Amino acid sequence: MAQESSINTASRRTRILNNHLVQYPSKPTSCLQSNSCLSYTPPESTESFGFDIKEMRKIVDFHNLEDRDWLFGVIKQGRVFNGKERGGRLFVSPDYNQTMEQQREMTMKRIEYLLERGAFDGWLTKKGVEAELKKLSLLEVIQIFDHSLSVKIGVHFFLWGGAIQFMGTKRHHDKWLRDTETYAMKGCFSMTELGHGSNVRGIETVTTYDSKTGEFVINTPCESAQKYWIGGAANHATHTIVFSQLKINGVNEGVHAFIAQIRDVNGNILPNICIADCGHKTGLNGVDNGRIWFDNLRIPRENLLNLVADVSPDGQYLSAIKDPDQRFAAFLAPLTSGRVTIATSAIYSSKIGLAIAIRYALSRRAFSMTPNGPEVLLLDYPSHQRRLLPLLAKSYAMSFGGNYLKMLYVNRTPESAKTLHVVSSAFKAIFTWHNMRTLQECREACGGQGLKTENRVGHMKGEFDVQSTFEGDNNVLMQQVSKALLSEYVAAKKKNKPFKGLGLEHMNGPVPVIQPNLTSTTLRSSQFQMNAHCLRERDLLNRFAAEISLYQSNGESKERAFILSYQLAEDLGRAFSDRAILQTFLDTESNVSAGPLKNVLGLLRSMYALICLEEDAAFLRYGYLSTDNAAAVRKEVTKLCRELRPHALALVSSLGIPDAFLSPIAFNWIDANSWSSAQQ
């Protein structure tokens, strides 16, 4: 009996283990039983549009809407863009499950696909404002699809091509621009080194001139001089712009730019050049970043980009600009395009995140307010509104700032170069910081769904994080902004002339006065909002100048004094940026006729202005706002959230981003995660 019982027990355990370990096939429909469960309700069925979203899109996207829509269509139709159906909808997005090598090759295939369809026609060979705006609009569409793709294209056209276009002369234009536009050759941009990033003047690559052969000789004298993070160098680039110290007859003439070929037509690395891969990154793995060493690489004398300076055949250094500082500034002035495109792409990235998170919050419910009552939409929670709607208002404001920046860029003149440098530096820093903060908040607002790569938001954090440091570290850029403002301040005081330029004309008027008890009407007044921002900028500029002067009077050098005043410098940089963005918002708003659209813009502008007041401690630190007024500002922001809530869907629907470029959780997230969807 005991033996029989033992056999039965062993048999039963075997059956249980077998049931655990062996999965018997079943029909997909048998996994779920018909039951009363949550269902997806499209927000369009319950939310109304209180203004014309097509008209709002015209204001936000600003230019080349037809060109944008054409390229959106090209991407949606191309198989190389990895379109997949989820929840009955088509979505296009790179396959991030691919290896780094596969992602890089797909990036190149997508470039070839776009090239064949004429996407790059005229990017370097056509001139004028319309051609430049079209190029900028198409690049923005490309980055909405994939940041790696836009960066690789941007390096080729805006950095390599832009250097030839704006730092070279006719001999370079005739030889290189057409072949760049057709990708007959592939360019990269070798400025950054292992030992020097933001400090371009300190780079260690050295170029000398051999008058006997009429050649420049480029060398990497030490490991810290290796060119680093060079987009396109690891796999595909055939040519590069080399930034190097130029030494003529033993005299260092400073940083200059040279054209060098690094691969032959078959992709083989040329002699006297070593290239290594930078390896896997936290994002942008579709870009083949590489490292480059030069060992007595000889290039023709004509390969010096010579708009600012040249070397004669017999080795004489020639430049109309004798001052080394002015010459260096002239070299770098044409390179502002990088900061312009980064700033605008950061705003489109934040808009993608917000469109996804807000659409999800308009269909996802959690918890009930009453026993057995219906669960509440996420966006109906005041706390959720507070998380997302101020960021949405900021993104709108920065869109208008970005449009202003683009127009400043395409209409640039030698006289506007300083303004372009300062504004592009400020906006690049502020916009990219805003983007990273926005993506993090959107990721959290989507809960666990925000972690899925297919839902974009979480993954985009890694893709766009680099923007905070490339084309200039944001903190360094903000200090450059403050240094430029200080120069204007010193010049105006020294010459006893009024301020003119950089929006500092408000410094010529009386000091704005903030009322002791701010009402809702006052807080929403554009006059009060601008006065508050001007008061902060004005006071911080005065404080900054005074602190610099005090350090200098105590024996510190001007540069040392500036370094010691970094906190005021960064506060001032933000104050300048916020005020400049608010001004672009007011300018945009002034061009809209009275009606629902203008009313909503007024709400967004008030939200932007007041959230800047609430978030910057300077308003309390330096007494621009009393504690009571600061509390009133906070209360008003909460009221604005309630008033913007009914417009949330319309506002994200006005951003010009097609559904296919969002993600499954922005739409029917239940069908997208169904069992039948999992079987596809």
Side-chain angles (χ1 to χ4, degrees), residues 193-309:
E193 296 179 355
L194 177 61
H196 290 88
S198 295
N199 182 18
V200 178
R201 297 187 77 158
I203 61 176
E204 297 173 290
T205 301
V206 175
T207 297
T208 56
Y209 180 67
D210 184 347
S211 58
K212 295 179 181 178
T213 62
E215 295 173 312
F216 288 108
V217 185
I218 305 176
N219 273 290
T220 303
C222 51
E223 287 295 354
S224 58
Q226 63 180 272
K227 295 299 181 181
Y228 214 97
W229 292 125
I230 311 306
N235 294 121
H236 301 126
T238 58
H239 294 73
T240 191
I241 302 292
V242 183
F243 282 81
S244 169
Q245 304 290 348
L246 174 59
K247 291 187 177 180
I248 301 293
N249 300 320
V251 178
N252 188 352
E253 300 292 354
V255 176
H256 290 65
F258 305 84
I259 296 173
Q261 186 171 354
I262 58 176
R263 286 185 175 88
D264 63 23
V265 292
N266 297 316
N268 301 307
I269 298 171
L270 295 179
N272 305 98
I273 295 171
C274 295
I275 297 178
D277 203 311
C278 286
H280 196 273
K281 307 180 290 289
T282 58
L284 287 181
N285 283 300
V287 179
D288 51 317
N289 293 92
R291 303 145 61 194
I292 308 176
W293 293 258
F294 303 100
D295 181 14
N296 290 311
L297 177 68
R298 289 180 170 268
I299 61 172
R301 183 182 67 88
E302 293 76 16
N303 283 21
L304 168 66
L305 295 178
N306 64 336
L307 181 66
V308 174

Side-chain angles (χ1 to χ4, degrees), residues 363-396:
S363 64
R364 180 70 154 83
R365 297 175 179 272
F367 304 106
S368 303
M369 300 297 288
T370 58
N372 300 318
E375 291 186 283
V376 179
L377 284 174
L378 294 182
L379 202 61
D380 284 338
Y381 284 102
S383 59
H384 214 75
Q385 296 170 16
R386 209 32 155 87
R387 296 173 72 176
L388 297 178
L389 298 184
L391 294 174
L392 180 62
K394 278 192 167 187
S395 294
Y396 263 83

Side-chain angles (χ1 to χ4, degrees), residues 473-485:
D473 177 276
N474 282 355
N475 290 284
V476 174
L477 290 179
M478 293 302 271
Q479 291 180 33
Q480 287 183 11
V481 170
S482 297
K483 186 177 287 188
L485 296 176

Side-chain angles (χ1 to χ4, degrees), residues 464-659:
F464 284 88
D465 191 21
V466 66
Q467 289 190 335
S468 300
T469 50
F470 74 9
E471 293 293 320
D473 177 276
N474 282 355
N475 290 284
V476 174
L477 290 179
M478 293 302 271
Q479 291 180 33
Q480 287 183 11
V481 170
S482 297
K483 186 177 287 188
L485 296 176
L486 179 63
S487 296
E488 294 295 310
Y489 180 95
V490 171
K493 296 296 183 181
K494 188 175 182 179
K495 298 177 182 177
N496 197 26
K497 290 185 176 181
F499 288 87
K500 184 179 180 181
L502 297 180
L504 293 176
E505 289 81 2
H506 67 86
M507 298 281 291
N508 300 320
V511 178
V513 177
I514 304 297
Q515 299 175 17
N517 297 301
L518 294 174
T519 65
S520 178
T521 301
T522 301
L523 287 168
R524 298 193 186 198
S525 158
S526 60
Q527 186 63 58
F528 159 76
Q529 293 162 5
M530 184 53 75
N531 281 346
H533 280 74
C534 287
L535 174 61
R536 173 180 54 157
E537 183 181 22
R538 180 189 196 121
D539 181 66
L540 287 171
L541 181 50
N542 283 322
R543 289 175 183 272
F544 184 53
E547 187 166 288
I548 293 288
S549 179
L550 179 61
Y551 278 125
Q552 288 184 284
S553 67
N554 290 331
E556 299 288 357
S557 67
K558 183 179 179 180
E559 285 302 319
R560 176 67 177 164
F562 187 80
I563 290 172
L564 292 172
S565 301
Y566 73 95
Q567 288 179 310
L568 275 173
E570 292 179 4
D571 287 346
L572 175 58
R574 180 168 292 277
F576 167 83
S577 305
D578 291 347
R579 189 266 308 155
I581 294 166
L582 178 58
Q583 185 61 60
T584 66
F585 204 133
L586 288 168
D587 293 342
T588 301
E589 196 178 347
S590 68
N591 292 321
V592 178
S593 302
L597 190 58
K598 193 179 185 78
N599 294 339
V600 172
L601 285 172
L603 293 176
L604 289 168
R605 184 246 308 146
S606 289
M607 175 68 89
Y608 170 74
L610 296 184
I611 201 67
C612 287
L613 267 62
E614 183 186 69
E615 291 179 345
D616 189 354
F619 283 97
L620 277 173
R621 182 185 297 123
Y622 300 113
Y624 315 140
L625 293 177
S626 66
T627 53
D628 286 344
N629 278 344
V633 168
R634 191 178 197 195
K635 184 177 180 181
E636 199 64 27
V637 169
T638 301
K639 288 173 61 179
L640 284 164
C641 283
R642 288 200 300 269
E643 293 176 41
L644 282 170
R645 161 62 184 87
H647 302 291
L649 180 62
L651 287 169
V652 297
S653 299
S654 303
L655 297 178
I657 305 169
D659 295 352

Side-chain angles (χ1 to χ4, degrees), residues 332-333 335-343 404-405 408 417-433 467-468 470-485 502 573-574 576-577 580-581:
L332 297 189
L335 303 180
T336 52
S337 64
R339 290 194 294 273
V340 173
T341 56
I342 290 168
Y404 165 75
L405 176 59
L408 190 62
K418 181 174 184 178
T419 300
L420 178 58
H421 169 71
V422 173
V423 174
S424 64
S425 297
F427 284 9
K428 184 266 182 184
I430 291 295
F431 291 8
T432 56
W433 274 330
Q467 289 190 335
S468 300
F470 74 9
E471 293 293 320
D473 177 276
N474 282 355
N475 290 284
V476 174
L477 290 179
M478 293 302 271
Q479 291 180 33
Q480 287 183 11
V481 170
S482 297
K483 186 177 287 188
L485 296 176
L502 297 180
R574 180 168 292 277
F576 167 83
S577 305
I581 294 166

